[in-house]
Amino acid sequence: MNSTSDSPAPLRQRLARFMPCLGWPRPSRHLLHTEALAGITVALMVLPQGVAYAALAGMPLVTGVYAALWPALVAVLFSSSQRLSVGPTALTSLLVGASLAPLAVAGSAEWVAMAVWLTLISGAIQIVIGAGGFGWILRLVNSPVLSGFTQGAAILIALSQLPSLLGFTGRTVMQALQGGTPPDWTAMAFGLGSMAVMWLGKRWAPKFPTTMALVAGSAAISHALSYALLGGAVVGALPSGLPSLYLPDFSSLHQISALLLPALMITLVSFLETASSAKIDNARAGTLWNENQDLIGQGLAKVASGLTGAFPTSSSFSRSAITLYAGAQTGWATLFSVVFVAIALLWLMPLMYHVPQSVLAAVVMTAILGLLKPRTFAALWKVSRVEAGIAFGTFLLTMATAPSIYWGVLGGLLASLANYMYRHLHPRIIEVGLHGDGSLRDRHLWKLPMLAPNLYALRMDAELDFASASTLERAISEVIAARPGLTDVCLFAQPINRIDITGAEVFGSIRRTLENAGIRLHLSGLKLPAQQVLERAGLLAPGPLLFVYRTDADALAALTSQPA
C-alpha cells in the first residue's frame, strides 16, 4: 500500500528531467494573479517588438508575432530556466537578415523558405548538442569576443533603422545621404518622439507597458491624421488567426550548405543570449543552471518557430529582466503571455494597421541602445590588452564583413583560441625561493636566495601536457648547461593537475638526462592523478637519484639539510 502511494512521485521526478514543467508548483489564486500580471506585461512588450524584429529579419511582419507564440510555449515546457522570455530578439533577427541578404530577396517566398530552413537547422543543432550533453562546447566563445560582436552588431542594427526612423523609409543610409527626395517629416516626428517616450517610460515608469501604449497611441494619431492615405509608411494589414503549419520546399544541397555556417552562428549567439539571462534567473531561484536542458528547450522552440513559418527565436535579456521585475516566479507567467499573444493574433491584428514604420524603427533602436557600451573596450584594456585587442578586432571584423557578420564571431573565436594555445605553449616556469612569509615565490622577482647551493628549484604553473612539456624540458636543459656544478633539480609539482602521454614521455626524458649527468631529481607535492600516470608509465620506479616528497615542507626540510 505504501509503495503504491509513493510510486507516482519518483516517476514524476524522472519525467521532470525531460519536461521541467512537471516540477512547477501547484498554482494558487495569489500565484496565478502575480503570474498573470507578469505574463501580460511581457506580452504587451513582445507584440510590438516582434513586428519590429520581423522587419529587421526581412520577414513578413506577422511572423514576429508567430515567433512569440508556440516557440515561447514549447521553450517554457522543456527548458529548465522557467522565467526566460523566449521569442524574437534583435541579434538573431539581424543574423537572419544578414545571412540571407546575398541569397534571396527580402520578404520573398524564397527568403521565407530559407529563413525557415535556417531556423530548423539551428534548432536541430541545439537539440543534438543539448541531448548529447555537449553544452560546454559553446563556452569556447569568451566574453571579449561576444562583447566585440555585440557592439558591432548593435551599430549595424542602428544604421539599418536610421532611414526609417528619420523619414527615409525604403532607402539605405547611403541613399539617404545622397539627397534626393526630402524626408517624411511626420515619420521623423513619430520616430524621434517614440524614442523620447520610451526613454521617459523606462526612466519614470519601468513597470508600465510603455512600448505597447506607445504603439496604440501612435496608431490612433496616425489614423486621425489619415497618415496612411497621405502616403505615409505604415505597418499595413496583418493577417489575423493562429499560424498554420508551414513546411518549406526542399532547397538544393548547395543552398542548405550555404546555411550551415549562419545556423551555427545563430546557435552560438542564441546560446550566449540565453546564458546571460539564465544565470541571473537560476541565481535568484537558488538553483543550478542546466545548460543542456535549456539547449534542448530552445532548440525545440526554434523548430516550433520554423514550422509556423517564422524565424529563429532566442531568450531576450530585456524581456526576461522585465519578467523577473514584474514578479514572475514560475513558468505560469509565460503561459499567460502566450494566451495573450494568441488573443492578439485572433482579434487585435487589425489595430496594428496604422502604426507608422518609424515607430517600429524606434522600438528596435531603443532596444539596441541598451547594447551599445563603448566603455567595454576601455574596461577590457585595463584588465588585459590582448583580450581587449581580440574584442576590438572582432568588432572591426563584424563591421567590415557586413552583411556576413558571422565572420566577426569566427575571427574572434580563432583569435581567442590562438591566444589560448599561445599561453599554454608558453607556460609560466619560475625558479622558486623561500619568501619571508614561508611561501615559495619567484626567486628573481623577489630577489630571494637559492634554497640550497647547486640546486635548481622550479615550479611550472600549468598542466604537463603536449603544449607545455617541451618548454619545461628546455628550461631544465638550459639551466644544466648554464650551471656546470648543478647537483640537484627539484620540481615543485603541486600546480600540475594533469599529465598526458606526451608529458609523461618528456618527464621520462628529463629523468634520463638528469641521471646521465649525475643530477638528483626531487619531486614535491605531486597530485594523485598525475602520479598515477607516471607510475603506470614506470617513470617513478625507485632509483638512487630520484626523491619524491608528499609535501613542500618535507622537500624543503630534505633539500636544506642535504649535503651538496
Side-chain angles (χ1 to χ4, degrees), residues 269-287:
V269 171
S270 174
F271 175 80
L272 294 172
E273 283 187 306
T274 299
S276 62
S277 301
K279 288 176 182 178
I280 296 175
D281 178 32
N282 284 273
R284 291 193 179 183
T287 57

Side-chain angles (χ1 to χ4, degrees), residues 57 59 95-97 99-122 246-260 262-263 266 306 309-312:
M59 294 288 287
L95 282 169
V96 172
S99 303
L100 300 183
L103 304 175
V105 177
S108 65
E110 183 183 10
W111 178 286
V112 173
M114 295 185 76
V116 169
W117 276 115
L118 194 60
T119 307
L120 296 176
I121 294 171
S122 177
Y246 180 93
L247 296 175
D249 294 335
F250 181 78
S251 300
S252 66
L253 291 178
H254 172 71
Q255 289 177 314
I256 295 295
S257 63
L259 297 176
L260 288 178
I266 288 174
F311 49 95

Side-chain angles (χ1 to χ4, degrees), residues 434-451:
L434 187 61
H435 192 270
D437 62 5
S439 62
L440 294 172
R441 300 194 181 185
D442 189 331
R443 188 175 77 84
H444 300 288
L445 178 64
W446 293 91
K447 297 180 173 57
L448 303 174
M450 296 175 62
L451 292 178

Side-chain angles (χ1 to χ4, degrees), residues 13 52 100 113 123 148 155 162 229 264 289 362 377 407 427 562:
Q13 291 174 2
L100 300 183
I155 290 177
L162 271 180
L229 295 177
L264 283 170
W289 179 37
F377 299 114
W407 290 111
Q562 181 171 293

Side-chain angles (χ1 to χ4, degrees), residues 464-471 473 498-510 533-534 539:
L464 184 58
D465 57 15
F466 71 96
S468 63
S470 61
T471 306
E473 185 177 27
R498 187 182 69 91
I499 299 178
D500 67 0
I501 293 177
T502 304
E505 291 176 349
V506 170
F507 177 83
S509 175
I510 293 172
V533 172
L534 296 180
L539 298 173

Side-chain angles (χ1 to χ4, degrees), residues 158-202:
L159 290 175
S160 71
Q161 299 303 302
L162 271 180
S164 294
L165 183 73
L166 300 178
F168 295 99
T169 303
R171 283 181 265 180
T172 64
V173 173
M174 293 303 299
Q175 290 171 339
L177 291 175
Q178 291 172 359
T181 308
D184 182 343
W185 300 106
T186 305
M188 185 184 296
F190 272 122
L192 297 180
S194 297
M195 286 191 68
V197 169
M198 283 186 283
W199 182 82
L200 291 172
K202 184 178 181 179

Side-chain angles (χ1 to χ4, degrees), residues 289-322:
W289 179 37
N290 187 342
E291 59 189 20
N292 291 311
Q293 188 60 44
D294 274 352
L295 276 167
I296 294 173
Q298 296 278 333
L300 291 172
K302 284 183 172 63
V303 171
S305 183
L307 294 178
T308 56
F311 49 95
T313 55
S314 184
S315 296
S316 167
F317 184 82
S318 60
R319 293 197 303 270
S320 297
I322 292 293

Side-chain angles (χ1 to χ4, degrees), residues 32-48 85 207-213 319 322-323 326-328 330-344 348:
L32 289 179
H33 176 72
T34 303
E35 302 296 274
L37 288 178
I40 293 173
T41 299
V42 173
L44 290 173
M45 185 176 182
V46 77
L47 285 172
S85 177
K207 285 190 174 183
F208 184 74
T210 306
T211 304
M212 193 64 199
R319 293 197 303 270
I322 292 293
T323 303
T330 68
W332 290 104
T334 298
L335 296 186
F336 281 105
S337 178
V338 167
V339 170
F340 190 88
V341 171
I343 292 172
L348 303 182

